[in-house]
């Protein structure tokens, strides 16, 4: 059978099986977001990132570096990688390849070859994605762009931030952080559903942190509008510290919701006290964020600031990529491990043992330790992972005690 025929089948049966389970286990209103087309796109992208990872692994000489077993530090040294930057992404690469059976993990975090790494071309997977749902392509473009510079990054020749955020790459992010990108939009839609369900009162005041290019805010406003509840928000303060993102986010929101009173824009750094940035203690009904809190330098500080900014009964709502199980590799990390803020936050032994995404248990611990109550996850990943081990989108909600 040709490779094209194989790929036409790739992920189809699995997507149908997983979708059937998800339709049963996801609570309303989430099931329509996770149809078979989305689930297959998610599986295709997983395969695409795996194939890019194999290509990077070969290019950095990983095959020779794992002929003998080694831990991540030993393997990085054998491949002459930059110890300061490469350990977290290399650890991810090793876990990803081990999870796929392309190499062997021996007695806990030591790795060795199982023969040559498979040679798999990513391009046909991308073509299959075009046939399945071309709206997901921005995620593919970001991953393949990053993959080209990955070996230079791992050798310490170029900073990850330069690869990701050079001005000529702005277009990539405009297309990626968008509700038109089928693979990204679910983060915003799950967040918007949780926002609507958990909105503590009418006429609320909201601050969104790390609002980026505005797709998270648009999804919230569209959802409230569809439910006839736009009036439930008296003030929506959209914040984003990167000026080019803030400008675009503001344009997107103002052109869609020109007449909405209470839309305001500004820059808030979640790593600094909120009060000195214009957010008065006890003044908010909701602190909202999509895929932002996992890059907080000090999660304890940011959650503490969010708690102080909320009125009693006010709610934290964060939509996040949630890691189902410790050490489970997640495809978005292939890209975001290039960012120092992503891979090296301040650690906490219980709920922040490393950088990147948190597990459901770590979110609960972190939010509870900050003083929040009534902690919820939508959906409950800890339950869903038993049946769908690679489901990793959820909103985390919690209240400031009254
Ligand atoms: C994954 S993006 C969120 C995208 C956004 N929800 C959207 O739809 O376009 C994370 C955002 O967090 C922002 N961010 C990074 N560091 C931050 C900080 N210290 N304080 C607040 N936001 C930050 C980034 O600039 C980025 O826009």
């Amino acid at each position: 059978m040709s490779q094209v025929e194989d790929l036409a089948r790739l992920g189809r049966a699995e997507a149908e099986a997983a979708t059937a389970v998800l339709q049963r286990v996801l609570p309303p209103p989430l099931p329509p977001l996770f149809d078979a087309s989305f689930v297959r796109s998610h599986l295709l992208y997983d395969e695409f990132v795996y194939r890019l990872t194999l290509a990077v692994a070969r290019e950095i000489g990983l095959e020779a570096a794992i002929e003998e077993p080694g831990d991540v530090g030993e393997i990085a040294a054998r491949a002459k990688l930059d110890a300061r930057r490469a350990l977290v992404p290399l650890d991810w690469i090793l876990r990803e390849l081990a999870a796929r059976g392309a190499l062997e993990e021996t007695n806990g975090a030591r790795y060795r070859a199982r023969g040559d790494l498979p040679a798999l071309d990513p391009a046909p997977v991308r073509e299959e994605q075009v046939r399945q749902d071309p709206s997901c392509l921005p995620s593919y473009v970001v991953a393949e762009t990053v993959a080209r510079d990955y070996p230079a990054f791992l050798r310490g020749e170029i900073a990850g931030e330069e690869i990701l955020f050079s001005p000529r790459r702005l277009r990539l992010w405009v297309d990626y952080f968008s509700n038109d990108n089928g693979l990204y939009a679910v983060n915003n839609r799950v967040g918007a559903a949780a926002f609507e369900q958990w909105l503590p009162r009418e006429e609320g005041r909201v601050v969104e942190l790390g609002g980026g290019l505005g797709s998270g805010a648009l999804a919230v406003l569209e959802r409230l509008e569809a439910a006839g509840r736009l009036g439930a928000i008296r003030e929506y303060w959209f914040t984003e510290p990167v000026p080019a993102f803030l400008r675009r986010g503001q344009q997107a929101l103002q052109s869609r919701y020109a007449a909405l009173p209470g839309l305001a824009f500004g820059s808030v750094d979640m790593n600094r006290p909120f009060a000195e940035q214009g957010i008065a203690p006890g003044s908010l009904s909701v602190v909202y964020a999509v895929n932002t809190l996992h890059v907080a330098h000090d999660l304890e500080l940011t959650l503490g600031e969010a708690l102080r900014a909320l009125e009693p009964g006010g709610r934290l709502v964060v939509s996040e990529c949630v890691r189902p199980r410790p050490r489970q590799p997640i495809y978005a990390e292939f890209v975001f491990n290039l960012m120092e803020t992503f891979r090296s936050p301040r650690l906490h032994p219980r709920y922040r043992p490393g950088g990147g995404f948190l597990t459901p248990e770590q979110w609960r611990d972190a939010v509870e330790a900050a003083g929040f109550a009534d902690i919820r996850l939508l959906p409950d990943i800890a339950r869903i992972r038993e049946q769908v081990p690679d489901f990793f989108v959820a909103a985390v909600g919690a209240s400031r005690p009254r």
Side-chain angles (χ1 to χ4, degrees):
M1 191 183 288
S2 76
Q3 194 176 34
V4 172
E5 282 168 318
D6 271 339
L7 282 165
R9 286 223 301 264
L10 182 73
R12 264 188 212 283
E14 282 158 278
E16 270 160 35
T19 308
V21 176
L22 288 171
Q23 300 306 303
R24 234 184 23 250
V25 297
L26 288 174
L30 302 186
L33 301 180
F34 297 92
D35 62 13
S37 178
F38 170 81
V39 176
R40 181 161 189 253
S41 296
H42 157 81
L43 294 171
L44 287 172
Y45 189 59
D46 195 40
E47 177 70 17
F48 183 71
V49 171
Y50 168 55
R51 292 180 181 203
L52 292 176
T53 307
L54 284 170
V56 170
R58 261 195 308 279
E59 215 182 310
I60 61 172
L62 189 71
E63 283 169 314
I66 56 172
E67 273 173 12
E68 296 297 321
D71 65 20
V72 62
E74 290 160 348
I75 295 168
R78 289 177 203 155
K80 301 197 170 29
L81 304 181
D82 174 11
R84 276 173 314 128
R85 287 181 187 154
L87 293 188
V88 169
L90 179 64
D91 181 54
W92 184 89
I93 289 172
L94 292 166
R95 283 185 283 117
E96 166 76 1
L97 299 183
R100 293 289 199 132
L103 50 78
E104 192 182 336
E105 182 170 352
T106 63
N107 8 308
R110 290 181 70 76
Y111 301 89
R112 78 160 163 238
R114 275 210 159 127
D116 291 343
L117 290 174
L120 294 167
D121 183 2
V125 183
R126 188 188 206 277
E127 286 158 24
E128 192 54 32
Q129 181 66 67
V130 173
R131 283 187 283 274
Q132 177 67 42
D133 175 4
S135 84
C136 300
L137 282 182
S139 294
Y140 284 69
V141 175
V142 163
E144 67 196 358
T145 303
V146 160
R148 277 197 287 278
D149 289 330
Y150 228 98
F153 160 71
L154 292 173
R155 290 189 205 106
E157 294 157 10
I158 180 169
E161 289 72 10
E162 208 175 312
I163 298 170
L164 292 174
F165 302 122
S166 74
R168 74 199 155 92
R169 301 245 153 105
L170 179 61
R171 185 75 236 167
L172 288 187
W173 299 113
V174 172
D175 294 340
Y176 180 92
F177 290 124
S178 162
N179 293 322
D180 295 332
N181 173 359
L183 277 170
Y184 189 75
V186 288
N187 299 279
N188 292 328
R189 304 238 155 85
V190 168
F195 186 105
E196 192 202 346
Q197 250 180 38
W198 296 338
L199 197 60
R201 68 175 175 90
E202 299 300 297
E203 304 233 318
R205 295 186 68 216
V206 180
V207 160
E208 181 178 349
L209 299 169
L213 296 143
S215 67
L218 280 171
V220 163
L221 297 178
E222 281 164 9
R223 182 160 192 106
L224 292 176
E225 187 177 29
R229 291 188 67 197
L230 258 186
I233 293 181
R234 181 153 55 95
E235 210 173 291
Y236 194 104
W237 194 23
F238 176 88
T239 75
E240 164 59 42
V242 174
F245 284 6
L246 175 61
R247 264 196 309 278
R248 292 262 182 169
Q250 180 164 354
Q251 269 165 16
L253 285 161
Q254 283 177 330
S255 59
R256 177 75 177 74
Y257 287 101
L260 190 71
L263 259 186
F265 302 89
S267 172
V268 170
D269 178 354
M270 68 180 158
N271 296 328
R272 288 176 34 223
F274 291 4
E276 67 186 41
Q277 302 179 75
I279 302 178
S283 63
L284 302 177
S285 330
V286 178
V287 171
Y288 185 58
V290 179
N291 279 332
T292 294
L293 258 59
H294 61 254
V295 290
H297 173 63
D298 180 348
L299 191 56
E300 187 179 351
L301 178 145
T302 301
L303 289 172
E305 288 302 311
L307 183 80
R308 254 186 298 287
L310 288 167
E311 61 197 8
R315 255 188 124 71
L316 173 75
V317 181
V318 296
S319 177
E320 278 285 337
C321 187
V322 175
R323 189 188 310 283
R325 309 232 181 231
R327 292 176 47 76
Q328 181 171 340
I330 292 186
Y331 49 55
E333 292 170 313
F334 176 72
V335 171
F336 293 107
N337 270 337
L338 268 70
M339 283 166 57
E340 165 132 37
T341 49
F342 185 87
R343 55 178 196 269
S344 313
R346 181 164 173 247
L347 301 183
H348 184 284
R350 213 171 65 242
Y351 55 77
R352 206 73 176 107
F357 302 121
L358 287 82
T359 63
E361 289 78 9
Q362 289 162 356
W363 272 116
R364 282 184 183 278
D365 278 358
V367 167
E368 191 178 40
F372 284 94
D374 189 16
I375 303 162
R376 312 169 188 189
L377 265 83
L378 179 78
D380 182 1
I381 299 271
R383 204 165 60 81
I384 286 170
R385 70 186 171 200
E386 303 297 332
Q387 294 172 74
V388 187
D390 61 343
F391 186 92
F392 42 67
V393 188
V396 182
S399 299
R400 176 172 172 181
R402 287 182 192 277

